[in-house]
C-alpha cells in the first residue's frame, strides 16, 4: 500500500525518510498546498489536512503539523509559528525575548494518519531553549535558534543529531511502530 505524505516542505520529507526508511517504510510525497487551515491546535490542523487528503486521493495519507512553544511568551508562536517565521523570522523571536534569562521552549510535532476507518495521531515533543544569536548552517525554520536540552548548539549545527532526537523524529518513530504492528510497510 503506497502511503502518501502531504507536505510542501522538503526538509520534513527528508526528516520523515530518515526515520521511516529505517523501519522499512516507504512513502511518496504530494504538495499540501490547498489542504492547510489555521486553527488553535496542531491536532486540529493535522487531522483536517489528513482527512481532506484521504478524501481527495482515496489512499492512506499522513501529514504533520509542528510548532515552537516558548514558555516565557506563554507558548507563542505555537500554532502561529509558520506565520511568525514568515513575517518577523528568527530575529523577531530573539528581539521579543531580548535579554530574558528564562528562554525555555519546546517543539511539538503531530503526525496525523488518515485511512478509510479513522485518523490516528502521534505526538513528538523536544524540550530546549532559545539561543541568544542566530546560527545558520543546515536545517530550516527555527533550527538556527533552538538548542535542544542536553546540547550546547542549535539544531542547525547538529543536524545529524536532530534527525534522531527531534519532535518530528519522536512522532515518526511512534507512527512507524504503529504501522509495523498493523502490518503496513
Ligand atoms: P508547520 O506549520 O508544521 O509547517 O510548521 C510551523 C513552523 O514551525 C514553520 O515555520 C516551520 O518552519 C517551523 N518548524 C517546524 N518544524 C521545525 C523544525 O523541525 N525546525 C525548525 N523549525 C520548524
Amino acid at each position: 500500500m503506497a502511503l502518501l505524505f502531504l507536505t510542501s516542505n522538503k526538509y520534513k520529507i527528508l526528516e520523515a525518510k530518515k526515520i521511516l526508511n529505517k523501519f522499512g517504510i516507504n512513502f511518496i510525497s504530494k504538495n499540501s498546498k490547498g489542504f492547510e487551515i489555521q486553527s488553535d491546535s496542531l491536532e486540529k490542523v493535522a487531522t483536517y489536512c489528513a482527512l481532506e487528503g484521504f478524501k481527495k486521493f482515496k489512499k492512506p495519507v499522513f501529514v504533520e503539523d509542528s510548532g515552537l512553544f516558548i514558555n516565557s511568551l506563554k507558548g507563542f508562536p505555537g500554532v502561529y509559528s509558520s506565520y511568525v517565521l514568515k513575517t518577523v523570522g528568527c530575529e523577531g523571536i530573539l528581539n521579543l525575548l531580548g535579554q530574558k534569562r528564562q528562554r525555555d521552549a519546546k517543539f511539538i510535532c503531530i503526525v496525523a494518519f488518515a485511512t478509510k476507518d479513522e485518523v490516528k495521531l502521534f505526538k513528538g515533543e523536544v524540550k530546549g531553549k532559545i539561543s541568544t544569536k542566530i546560527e545558520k548552517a543546515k536545517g530550516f525554520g527555527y533550527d538556527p535558534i533552538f538548542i535542544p536540552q542536553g546540547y550546547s548548539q542549535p539544531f542547525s549545527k547538529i543536524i545529524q543529531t536532530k534527525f534522531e532526537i527531534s519532535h518530528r523524529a519522536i512522532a515518526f518513530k511512534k507512527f512507524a511502530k504503529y504501522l509495523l504492528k498493523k502490518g503496513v510497510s
Side-chain angles (χ1 to χ4, degrees), residues 22-155:
K22 261 192 209 162
F23 287 84
I25 295 159
N26 296 302
F27 63 86
I28 46 179
S29 58
K30 288 234 182 245
N31 200 299
S32 60
K33 278 216 165 65
F35 291 97
E36 289 140 346
I37 51 156
Q38 185 71 60
S39 166
D40 58 359
S41 103
L42 298 178
E43 284 85 354
K44 280 187 203 160
V45 174
T47 301
Y48 174 87
C49 187
L51 278 173
E52 288 301 299
F54 182 80
K55 266 192 230 159
K56 169 144 192 203
F57 298 110
K58 299 185 176 49
K59 275 181 185 207
V61 166
F62 64 97
V63 303
E64 74 91 86
D65 200 45
S66 305
L68 174 68
F69 297 76
I70 301 175
N71 291 13
S72 66
L73 302 179
K74 299 189 176 3
F76 184 82
V79 293
Y80 306 106
S81 295
S82 180
Y83 180 72
V84 170
L85 190 79
K86 269 188 239 147
T87 50
V88 296
C90 289
E91 205 177 328
I93 294 289
L94 294 193
N95 289 340
L96 266 178
L97 284 178
Q99 300 304 312
K100 268 191 210 299
R101 293 181 61 183
Q102 170 47 267
R103 308 181 80 84
D104 291 352
K106 64 184 172 190
F107 264 122
I108 298 180
C109 168
I110 303 292
V111 172
F113 178 50
T115 59
K116 67 177 176 13
D117 305 316
E118 59 182 351
V119 179
K120 292 285 288 181
L121 299 182
F122 306 88
K123 183 177 182 177
E125 191 174 311
V126 63
K127 291 196 168 86
K129 61 176 192 272
I130 303 300
S131 62
T132 50
K133 57 180 195 283
I134 296 174
E135 293 203 63
K136 283 204 180 113
K138 290 192 169 159
F140 71 102
Y142 298 103
D143 283 345
I145 58 166
F146 183 83
I147 303 174
Q149 210 167 53
Y151 295 83
S152 54
Q153 291 188 298
F155 270 160

